[in-house]
């Protein structure tokens, strides 16, 4: 984010915590985060075998009458083969990342003017506003969204956000191009936002893991090359995402490669569950 995006004002009380890396079940709406898990396939119960009935003793063979062809004897029905017990297949472990839906952090509706695009690369940003207390994180996102919409943008500029505790938030739909105050075209960029000002503070380990996990998800779910993952400053005249976070990008790419190997998916955390999770974040109950 450009320095012009620095916001003021206190953050609204925040709602509850689901940390990155807890294995749940995916979602990822085609464009945003994860889809709910598919309904399990119901397998039919095996049929109960009928009790065995002994066959009558065979009749003695008879000679065919002259001039007639012998009738073939009735062939007994083959006995059914025993049902095969399906052996479970061992699939590669998949990391499923909970993503707090827009309704969970109380985002305003997106306005008109979203521009559809196709993802091709990944870019990391920061807010350029220090985040000292993680319970402020959801309220800060609401502040950023209000500011961005006041500038004429249809929505908050970024696609996914990560707070200091590693919680992941759904921001703008990934189907739509992001926005920027700087001189680059964000078309095709998956924009990942780390909350904080990393010219003034250090990212936490949980936040770094959250960003790396989203880079791995971009590669695993959308085929985005991890080596395209860079910082905002790689495309425009800005210090974003801050010196401290930018210096960690090589580590984040290496970690993303490790995580993407087994596969990464997401699960949308919405409705009452999502609001309760955000409530825990805002109360500080997530640590």
């Amino acid at each position: 984010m450009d320095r012009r995006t620095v916001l003021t004002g206190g953050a609204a009380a925040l709602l509850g915590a689901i940390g990155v890396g807890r294995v749940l079940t995916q979602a990822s709406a085609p464009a945003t985060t994860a889809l709910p898990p598919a309904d399990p396939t119901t397998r039919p119960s095996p049929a109960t075998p009928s009790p065995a009935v002994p066959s009558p003793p065979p009749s003695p063979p008879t000679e065919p009458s002259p001039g007639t062809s012998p009738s073939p004897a009735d062939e007994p029905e083959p006995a059914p083969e025993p049902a095969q017990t399906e052996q479970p297949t061992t699939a590669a472990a998949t990391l499923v990342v909970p993503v707090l839906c827009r309704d969970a952090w109380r985002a305003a509706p997106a306005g008109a003017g979203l521009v559809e695009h196709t993802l091709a690369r990944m870019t990391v940003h920061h807010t350029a506003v220090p985040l000292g207390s993680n319970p402020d994180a959801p309220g800060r996102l609401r502040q950023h969204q209000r500011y961005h919409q006041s500038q004429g943008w249809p929505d908050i500029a970024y696609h996914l956000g990560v707070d200091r505790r590693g919680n992941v938030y759904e921001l703008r739909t990934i189907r739509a191009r992001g926005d920027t105050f700087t001189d680059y075209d964000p078309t095709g960029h998956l924009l990942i936002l780390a909350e904080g000002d990393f010219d003034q503070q250090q990212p936490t380990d949980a936040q770094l893991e959250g960003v790396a996990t989203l880079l791995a998800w971009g590669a695993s779910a959308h085929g985005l090359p991890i080596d395209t993952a860079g910082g905002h400053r790689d495309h425009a005249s800005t210090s974003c995402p801050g010196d401290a976070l930018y210096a960690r990008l090589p580590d984040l790419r290496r970690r993303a490669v490790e995580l993407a190997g087994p596969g990464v998916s997401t699960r949308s955390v919405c409705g009452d569950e999502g609001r309760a999770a955000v409530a825990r974040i805002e109360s500080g109950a997530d640590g």
Side-chain angles (χ1 to χ4, degrees):
M1 175 184 286
D2 186 85
R3 293 290 182 184
R4 284 169 287 179
T5 59
V6 174
L7 309 179
T8 59
L14 296 170
L15 288 147
I18 293 186
V20 162
R22 296 184 190 169
V23 175
L24 302 176
T25 38
Q26 168 182 71
S28 208
T32 67
T33 55
L35 302 171
D39 291 336
T41 302
T42 303
R43 294 180 183 162
S45 301
T48 304
S50 302
V53 178
S55 302
S59 302
T62 56
E63 291 293 328
S65 302
T68 63
S69 299
S71 299
D74 292 335
E75 293 290 334
E77 290 293 326
E81 295 190 8
Q84 298 296 316
T85 302
E86 185 175 342
Q87 298 299 320
T89 55
T90 303
T94 300
L95 176 65
V96 185
V97 182
V99 178
L100 294 162
C101 293
R102 289 169 61 91
D103 75 290
W105 59 272
R106 304 194 301 281
L114 290 171
V115 177
E116 191 169 348
H117 73 154
T118 300
L119 293 174
R121 61 187 311 121
M122 298 179 280
T123 303
V124 177
H125 292 249
H126 72 166
T127 60
V129 180
L131 180 63
S133 176
N134 199 67
D136 292 340
R140 285 286 180 81
L141 291 176
R142 293 191 290 272
Q143 288 180 337
H144 294 314
Q145 186 191 35
R146 286 194 296 270
Y147 178 68
H148 291 177
Q149 290 181 317
S150 77
Q151 302 304 298
W153 296 348
D155 204 353
I156 190 168
Y158 316 102
H159 296 118
L160 294 160
V162 184
D163 69 16
R164 305 278 287 168
R165 296 288 298 169
N167 301 301
V168 176
Y169 302 79
E170 175 193 18
L171 305 181
R172 180 180 297 206
T173 171
I174 66 172
R175 291 188 298 268
R177 182 187 68 197
D179 277 298
T180 178
F181 288 112
T182 58
D183 53 353
Y184 87 109
D185 180 359
T187 301
H189 292 241
L190 175 65
L191 303 182
I192 298 171
L193 174 70
E195 287 198 76
D197 183 344
F198 303 109
D199 281 323
Q200 301 187 47
Q201 59 188 147
Q202 292 291 324
T204 65
D205 289 344
Q207 193 165 36
L208 291 169
E209 183 74 358
V211 172
T213 302
L214 291 179
L215 296 176
W217 173 77
S220 179
H222 295 280
L224 304 179
I226 291 173
D227 60 7
T228 68
H232 183 181
R233 66 172 66 177
D234 292 325
H235 308 287
S237 299
T238 176
S239 68
C240 182
D243 289 345
L245 181 54
Y246 188 78
R248 301 301 298 273
L249 283 177
D251 297 331
L252 294 177
R253 286 189 289 264
R254 283 191 290 271
R255 178 61 175 151
V257 169
E258 294 174 359
L259 294 169
V264 180
S265 60
T266 56
R267 182 178 83 88
S268 294
V269 184
C270 307
D272 290 343
E273 182 189 8
R275 286 186 288 273
V278 174
R280 290 194 298 275
I281 294 171
E282 291 181 327
S283 72
D286 67 329

